[in-house]
Amino acid sequence: MTEFLEIKKSVSVKGGDFVFKISIKGSPDQPRIRGSALAHAWEVSVPSLATKFTLEDVRVQFSDSRVELKELILKDKNGSIIIQGYADIKGFKIDQIMLEAAIKDFQAVDSKQYSFQSSGEVSLSGSLTQPVIQGELMLRKGRVNLRKEYETFHPEIKFSGETKQEEKVVVLKEKAKSGFWESATLNVKIDLPNNFWIKGDNYNLELSGGLVLLKEPQRPMIYTGSISTIRGNYQLYGKNFTFSEGTVDFPGISSLNPNLNVEAVYRVSKVQ
């Protein structure tokens, strides 16, 4: 979700135990790798997401051309992620993968701008050049801070060749990329039961509903679904308006710019 989050590559890892035993036979084209790898109690922090968690246990088994992830357990102060699966190897390169993650109340992001705690199941299959991501997630609680101090501008249109007579608009088109995300296929359902808030400079809004995130290779992500307003308020000209009802519809669009249909009420005290 590059439109939504810019994830930096900085990750801090410290402490813990690591045991690695492996033997390699065969040829470079058809290696036979056998052995195991174990890791325990590593502290991991991701400053860009303001999260810290413990890599509690990792067990990996190497069996000729297959690497089996027996178990990988991540834990934070509230929940956990358990990942299992395998990767098939051809000539020291990953050919096919299948990873499944069971998520329970895990705080993936906890920054001043974004905060999400989720549960559910997500899988990654296919290859690194044609990955397929599927799953269902429930955001048990979340917060999106849209105050001006956190706004990020993503320019899509630039102006050039401006003269007094005319203005030319140049739409920048990027060449097709071949990275992991650009080549991915995505189908993830997100459920928002309640306790998901959007906060702005003059409004607070609690939402409930569901979204489906869809993506095809070399195509932008598509948002589809409908979200209802539960409660909230809006400050306008010094008056406090209360949201009475409303919906936020994502009719299969490729940006976070949904259709809004929201009613707000301002109650006036009796005048004598």
Side-chain angles (χ1 to χ4, degrees), residues 9-21:
K9 296 182 179 179
S10 59
V11 176
S12 174
V13 181
K14 64 179 181 179
D17 303 319
F18 182 71
V19 179
F20 187 72
K21 297 180 180 180

Side-chain angles (χ1 to χ4, degrees), residues 142-210:
R143 182 190 69 251
V144 177
N145 196 333
L146 298 180
R147 294 187 176 97
K148 289 182 179 179
E149 60 183 300
Y150 299 114
E151 285 183 353
T152 303
F153 178 63
H154 301 281
E156 297 178 352
I157 298 178
K158 291 188 176 181
F159 298 88
S160 66
E162 295 184 357
T163 65
K164 293 182 179 180
Q165 290 78 20
E166 63 177 1
E167 291 183 349
K168 295 182 179 180
V169 179
V170 179
V171 180
L172 299 182
K173 295 183 178 180
E174 295 184 355
K175 294 182 180 180
K177 298 180 180 180
S178 57
F180 180 90
W181 178 251
E182 288 78 17
S183 303
T185 297
L186 178 75
N187 187 340
V188 176
K189 179 182 178 182
I190 299 178
D191 184 25
L192 287 73
N194 51 43
N195 203 18
F196 187 90
W197 288 87
I198 295 180
K199 299 177 181 290
D201 287 317
N202 55 354
Y203 62 88
N204 293 294
L205 190 62
E206 185 180 11
L207 303 177
S208 175

Side-chain angles (χ1 to χ4, degrees), residues 15 22 94-95 105 112 134 146-147 159 163 188 217 247 265:
I22 191 172
I94 296 177
D95 181 40
D105 297 333
K112 292 182 179 180
Q134 302 179 82
L146 298 180
R147 294 187 176 97
F159 298 88
T163 65
V188 176
T247 57
V265 176

Side-chain angles (χ1 to χ4, degrees), residues 7-253:
I7 300 178
K8 298 179 180 178
K9 296 182 179 179
S10 59
V11 176
S12 174
V13 181
K14 64 179 181 179
D17 303 319
F18 182 71
V19 179
F20 187 72
K21 297 180 180 180
I22 191 172
S23 67
I24 303 176
K25 297 181 180 181
S27 65
D29 293 333
Q30 293 182 326
R32 298 196 308 274
I33 306 173
R34 296 202 171 190
S36 62
L38 304 173
H40 176 70
W42 288 82
E43 299 295 327
V44 182
S45 64
V46 186
S48 59
L49 302 180
T51 55
K52 294 182 179 181
F53 53 88
T54 301
L55 184 59
E56 188 170 273
D57 279 300
V58 180
R59 293 188 295 115
V60 180
Q61 187 74 36
F62 299 89
S63 303
D64 292 331
S65 61
R66 173 165 288 191
V67 179
E68 293 185 70
L69 178 59
K70 297 293 187 179
E71 194 171 56
L72 186 155
I73 302 177
L74 301 175
K75 286 191 175 181
D76 64 7
K77 60 182 179 180
N78 297 308
S80 64
I81 300 179
I82 300 177
I83 304 174
Q84 296 176 314
Y86 65 85
D88 288 331
I89 307 296
K90 283 189 177 181
F92 292 104
K93 293 184 179 180
I94 296 177
D95 181 40
Q96 296 291 314
I97 53 178
M98 169 54 77
L99 296 174
E100 296 179 332
I103 306 166
K104 182 179 180 181
D105 297 333
F106 193 80
Q107 192 86 34
V109 185
D110 195 21
S111 67
K112 292 182 179 180
Q113 188 172 9
Y114 306 108
S115 178
F116 304 108
Q117 186 183 93
S118 60
S119 296
E121 297 181 350
V122 177
S123 68
L124 170 63
S125 60
S127 65
L128 295 181
T129 56
Q130 292 182 316
V132 178
I133 304 169
Q134 302 179 82
E136 295 187 8
L137 292 174
M138 177 185 294
L139 296 185
R140 295 192 175 277
K141 63 179 180 179
R143 182 190 69 251
V144 177
N145 196 333
L146 298 180
R147 294 187 176 97
K148 289 182 179 179
E149 60 183 300
Y150 299 114
E151 285 183 353
T152 303
F153 178 63
H154 301 281
E156 297 178 352
I157 298 178
K158 291 188 176 181
F159 298 88
S160 66
E162 295 184 357
T163 65
K164 293 182 179 180
Q165 290 78 20
E166 63 177 1
E167 291 183 349
K168 295 182 179 180
V169 179
V170 179
V171 180
L172 299 182
K173 295 183 178 180
E174 295 184 355
K175 294 182 180 180
K177 298 180 180 180
S178 57
F180 180 90
W181 178 251
E182 288 78 17
S183 303
T185 297
L186 178 75
N187 187 340
V188 176
K189 179 182 178 182
I190 299 178
D191 184 25
L192 287 73
N194 51 43
N195 203 18
F196 187 90
W197 288 87
I198 295 180
K199 299 177 181 290
D201 287 317
N202 55 354
Y203 62 88
N204 293 294
L205 190 62
E206 185 180 11
L207 303 177
S208 175
L211 281 178
V212 178
L213 309 182
L214 302 171
K215 185 185 178 301
E216 296 180 358
Q218 304 301 332
R219 302 290 296 175
M221 186 162 62
I222 299 298
Y223 305 85
T224 181
S226 181
I227 298 173
S228 300
T229 60
I230 298 177
R231 55 178 171 163
N233 65 288
Y234 182 78
Q235 297 284 336
L236 182 64
Y237 300 120
K239 308 296 184 182
N240 185 42
F241 290 80
T242 301
F243 289 111
S244 58
E245 60 178 303
T247 57
V248 182
D249 293 322
F250 294 83
I253 54 179

